[in-house]
Amino acid sequence: MFIDKAGITVTAGKGGNGAVAWRREKYVPAGGPAGGDGGDGGSIILRADENIHTLMDFRYKRVYKGQNGEDGRNKKQFGKDGEDIILKVPIGTLVKDSKTNTVIVDLKEKDQEYIIAKGGKGGKGNARFTSSTRQAPKFAQPGRKGESKEIILELKILADVGLIGFPNVGKSSLLSIISAAKPKIANYHFTTLQPNLGVVRIGPEESFVVADIPGLIEGAADGAGLGHDFLRHVERSKLLVHVLDASGSEGRDPVKDFYQINEELEKYNPQLAKRQQIIFANKMDLTSAKEGLEKIKMEFEPKGYKVFSGSVATTENLEKLVYYLWQELQKYPKEFMTFDEEYVEIIKETPAFTIEKTDKGFIVEGEEIEYLMSSINFNENESIKYFQNTLERMGIVEKLRELGAIEGDTVFICDMEFSFDE
């Protein structure tokens, strides 16, 4: 089964907690603090793998959690880091934020990796908090939470050339002859139920990739038929080969077909309709095709389109078409294109804290404050002193003064109530 889109949730591992421990050794009369640091949580890493061609695995498992780091131990032993989880995806996978639909990363290189969720840092053990005035700290830091994201994986096939056209015009047959691909071929509509890839070899180290995109019909951009599901795979192609049935064997007008298909491309993505197209008038082995070819040439050659005529059934002119495509591809940059807006990471300056003045007192909030509070032992004087010094260092005390706090005012920090003390 070909699955080219999946939504998953990734949560990196939490960092291990720092330890509160003491040296307890024979003949050591005054053992000092010996609590080790917690290990870092495992990250979630995406890797582009050339051996994977579908996102099927992510259809059945949608939640991925990294391994937590181990807690610190006695004798200043650090906890073990959590193992990273590597999620293998096909080359050409676009990763988007599910909430904003912005592009996070485009995995279009072999073995390209991206840390989609970073593991939380391990907390520091009490051995880290010794100072000239704090000889025996009885507190340690907890590990930080790992990042969590809801993302969309969207596969866009990496092909140099995309074959487009109505169903049953000969796209799959064309692909099978000019490449080593073996798509399922039969004489009925929607034979192609998924995109097929083939490699066309010109010579030593000279080749290009062709994708047979399932046939489009009128209304494809709005969800009709199979085309809507696979239009995204055309976006990567540098060139489009528009296959037309010059014979009109099914009672359709090839010129009208051309404009109808391009109307669907325009609806799906206006830029996509501007992509260079080469017209291949197929089924020239049929007697009714000559009239259709003349009509195609009269309509499109004056507009600058290159028109090839031939027959997939007899392989007439296929070699000329292939070499022309190869020559045209040399004019394009080597890297694959995408029309999705490139994601520019904006580092948000999230304030370490916020202070709100209310009738009942001052409310101090913030992620860093919550993290600080979780590491404090309020039954221990050394820990309380560390807490007070940290509030000073973060600028919280100064900010309270600026907002008018005076001796005895109530200050709320993470559901705990304190009295402002100068």
Side-chain angles (χ1 to χ4, degrees), residues 267-295:
K267 286 180 181 179
Y268 179 75
N269 190 321
Q271 294 187 62
L272 189 56
K274 300 175 184 177
R275 188 64 55 84
Q276 180 181 354
Q277 290 186 37
I278 292 93
I279 295 174
F280 178 66
N282 189 26
K283 303 188 180 182
M284 290 304 298
D285 54 307
L286 302 180
T287 55
S288 58
K290 291 183 179 179
E291 183 179 344
L293 177 61
E294 288 302 315
K295 191 175 180 181

Side-chain angles (χ1 to χ4, degrees), residues 165-167 189-190 214-221 223-228 260-261 264:
F166 267 84
H189 289 296
F190 293 123
L216 303 177
I217 63 172
E218 186 176 4
L226 297 176
H228 174 262
Q260 199 166 310
I261 293 294
E264 297 304 323

Side-chain angles (χ1 to χ4, degrees), residues 50-200:
E50 65 178 345
N51 296 315
I52 297 176
H53 307 289
T54 175
L55 296 171
M56 183 186 299
D57 290 345
F58 301 101
R59 182 176 183 181
Y60 302 106
K61 184 176 179 182
R62 307 232 178 209
V63 178
Y64 296 85
K65 294 183 178 180
Q67 187 179 43
N68 294 336
E70 289 184 354
D71 294 341
R73 296 187 291 275
N74 197 359
K75 299 181 180 180
K76 297 183 182 179
Q77 296 181 71
F78 287 10
K80 184 180 177 182
D81 292 343
E83 290 187 13
D84 296 334
I85 291 179
I86 296 177
L87 303 180
K88 296 179 180 180
V89 299
I91 297 174
T93 299
L94 208 62
V95 185
K96 296 183 177 181
D97 184 297
S98 63
K99 295 178 181 177
T100 64
N101 207 39
T102 52
V103 177
I104 298 173
V105 65
D106 190 357
L107 298 170
K108 53 188 178 183
E109 303 288 341
K110 178 186 174 183
D111 296 327
Q112 181 181 351
E113 290 188 348
Y114 184 83
I115 300 175
I116 189 64
K118 190 171 182 59
K121 290 290 293 180
K124 295 178 181 178
N126 69 331
R128 294 275 194 170
F129 292 96
T130 56
S131 67
S132 58
T133 59
R134 190 189 306 122
Q135 298 293 323
K138 296 179 181 178
F139 61 94
Q141 285 181 333
R144 288 184 178 268
K145 293 180 180 179
E147 291 182 326
S148 183
K149 293 178 183 174
E150 293 181 9
I151 59 174
I152 296 171
L153 303 176
E154 191 172 292
L155 174 59
K156 294 187 178 183
I157 284 178
L158 297 180
D160 299 292
V161 177
L163 303 180
I164 61 173
F166 267 84
N168 210 32
V169 294
K171 300 188 304 299
S172 296
S173 298
L174 175 61
L175 178 70
S176 68
I177 292 173
I178 65 176
S179 75
K182 296 181 180 180
K184 179 182 176 183
I185 301 169
N187 188 29
Y188 54 87
H189 289 296
F190 293 123
T191 299
T192 306
L193 300 179
Q194 65 186 49
N196 291 302
L197 285 179
V199 178
V200 179

